[in-house]
Amino acid sequence: MLVMRPAQMADLAEVQRLAADSPVGVTSLPDDTERLRDKIAASEASFAAEVSFNGEESYFFVLEDSESGRLAGCSGIVASAGYSEPFYSFRNETFVHAARELKIHNKIHVLSLCHDLTGNSLLTSFYVEPPLVGTTASELNSRGRLLFLANHPERFADAVVVEIVGYSDEHGDSPFWDAVGRNFFDINYAEAERLCGLKSRTFLAELMPHYPIYVPLLPDAAQEAMGQVHPRAQITFDILMREGFETDHYIDIFDGGPTLHARTSGIRSIAQSRVVPVRVGEPGKGGRPYLVANGQLQDYRAIVAELDWVPGKPVTLSAEAAEALGVGEGSSVRLVAV
């Protein structure tokens, strides 16, 4: 059984194995031992802290096979994007150019560097092993953290954002980076993302153009890449779009990938999930898959289980599922349909 739980320092080697296979552009999951050690340490401190509002905390989860102990995926939440440094995006805008005497009225698409999304909670570090892409494991790895957010709303902002990795070819070249960022840094896209993963995105972002970029002046390939999703990030994009995230307003400043945004209260897994009491027994036949999470903090656990649950009634969990969640008869769990 696959179980989502908080990452521990003992997971470091397994997490680095996952990071080594993550696509270029996932700078929140660098293939670097020290950065990953710091990431897990920060997460452990965040889970242990008493928190009444969203601050500098970051929460890192892993997807573990309970039988083998092998990790099959990971994901995270940053409580406040840009807490210690601005969180930059390109905002999609329209400028109007008009000449009354010539009766010309043009609307021009422009990109404006901004940090509008600073302070929002940020979903990061998503990776699931390729054989599990498109399965319920992907849903658990992405949406399980949303159930954690639902259980502990005081730790997070009232809006959530996520940067989706944009298009780059098999050689790691990004048309958007080549048309914009490369004019300010004489390095390729893959190297830029590697530096961001090892250091910070801000030191590069601050050298990007601070005046609006007129999109029609960009090469066709760069324009076509705007808002496009890297094939290996498509599963994340699809899941979050079903969750109610919007994609029209912001793009990533490096590869032009979409930056999704949603009000926390409107996210499907939060708005439609329910907290119900537990009975331990044999689940009924003919059920459907549900994401199920306990309400704990450091001992947070989430799984996918086949349940024949009737709204307004307790949920019957198998002994195996109850043990995986660390709950017993009379405990409560949060669940939402897959």
Side-chain angles (χ1 to χ4, degrees):
M1 177 182 292
L2 290 176
V3 181
M4 172 181 267
R5 60 167 175 80
Q8 304 165 354
M9 198 56 71
D11 298 321
L12 179 59
E14 278 284 279
V15 169
Q16 187 159 7
R17 176 180 60 81
L18 301 180
D21 188 50
S22 63
V24 173
V26 186
T27 54
S28 56
L29 199 60
D31 182 13
D32 180 85
T33 304
E34 290 306 312
R35 286 300 302 274
L36 292 174
R37 180 180 285 112
D38 291 346
K39 184 180 185 73
I40 295 173
S43 176
E44 289 180 325
S46 298
F47 278 105
E50 292 187 10
V51 174
S52 56
F53 59 91
N54 62 305
E56 61 183 338
E57 301 80 30
S58 60
Y59 306 89
F60 187 45
F61 305 90
V62 294
L63 203 57
E64 180 184 42
D65 186 321
S66 59
E67 296 181 5
S68 67
R70 176 185 172 87
L71 298 188
C74 60
S75 61
I77 316 175
V78 174
S80 300
Y83 185 83
S84 58
E85 55 192 19
F87 180 77
Y88 286 102
S89 303
F90 275 138
R91 181 175 57 237
N92 283 310
E93 294 185 315
T94 300
F95 283 3
V96 176
H97 290 248
R100 291 183 180 179
E101 292 185 7
L102 298 177
K103 296 183 179 179
I104 295 174
H105 186 276
N106 288 332
K107 293 182 178 180
I108 309 296
H109 182 190
V110 300
L111 301 175
S112 298
L113 192 67
C114 70
H115 43 84
D116 297 356
L117 302 178
T118 295
N120 289 253
S121 293
L122 176 68
L123 303 183
T124 69
S125 310
F126 180 91
Y127 174 85
V128 67
E129 291 186 321
L132 298 178
V133 170
T135 70
T136 55
S138 296
E139 299 278 339
L140 174 60
N141 196 44
S142 183
R143 296 170 61 196
R145 55 189 166 172
L146 298 177
L147 295 184
F148 178 82
L149 196 155
N151 282 327
H152 304 283
E154 73 283 356
R155 291 176 173 261
F156 302 99
D158 58 6
V160 181
V161 299
V162 56
E163 295 178 307
I164 303 294
V165 180
Y167 172 77
S168 59
D169 64 22
E170 62 275 12
H171 304 297
D173 292 324
S174 162
F176 187 81
W177 171 263
D178 289 342
V180 180
R182 194 153 191 172
N183 291 305
F184 301 88
F185 316 94
D186 192 19
I187 54 177
N188 63 27
Y189 167 67
E191 179 64 13
E193 291 287 13
R194 189 188 72 82
L195 288 174
C196 289
L198 295 178
K199 296 182 180 180
S200 162
R201 290 171 67 89
T202 302
F203 83 99
L204 286 181
E206 289 178 342
L207 293 175
M208 295 289 278
H210 285 251
Y211 292 100
I213 297 172
Y214 281 69
V215 173
L217 298 179
L218 297 177
D220 289 345
Q223 294 186 46
E224 291 169 4
M226 289 170 50
Q228 294 301 305
V229 178
H230 191 284
R232 293 187 62 187
Q234 190 66 49
I235 183 63
T236 315
F237 179 81
D238 292 345
I239 290 172
L240 294 177
M241 289 300 289
R242 291 196 296 271
E243 287 291 309
F245 281 75
E246 297 180 355
T247 182
D248 296 332
H249 304 297
Y250 301 92
I251 64 172
D252 182 81
I253 63 174
F254 291 158
D255 57 28
T259 297
L260 309 186
H261 180 267
R263 304 298 297 179
T264 304
S265 60
I267 296 173
R268 177 182 165 232
S269 288
I270 295 172
Q272 297 184 10
S273 63
R274 296 292 180 266
V275 176
V276 299
V278 170
R279 289 178 179 166
V280 179
E282 191 64 33
K285 302 296 182 181
R288 58 179 296 187
Y290 281 83
L291 298 173
V292 189
N294 65 23
Q296 299 184 45
L297 189 59
Q298 290 174 276
D299 294 323
Y300 179 74
R301 299 291 186 272
I303 63 171
V304 174
E306 294 279 340
L307 302 175
D308 182 21
W309 174 65
V310 178
K313 301 289 186 180
V315 62
T316 301
L317 299 177
S318 67
E320 180 188 16
E323 181 181 4
L325 290 166
V327 298
E329 191 87 23
S331 301
S332 294
V333 293
R334 182 179 293 272
L335 54 80
V336 68
V338 174

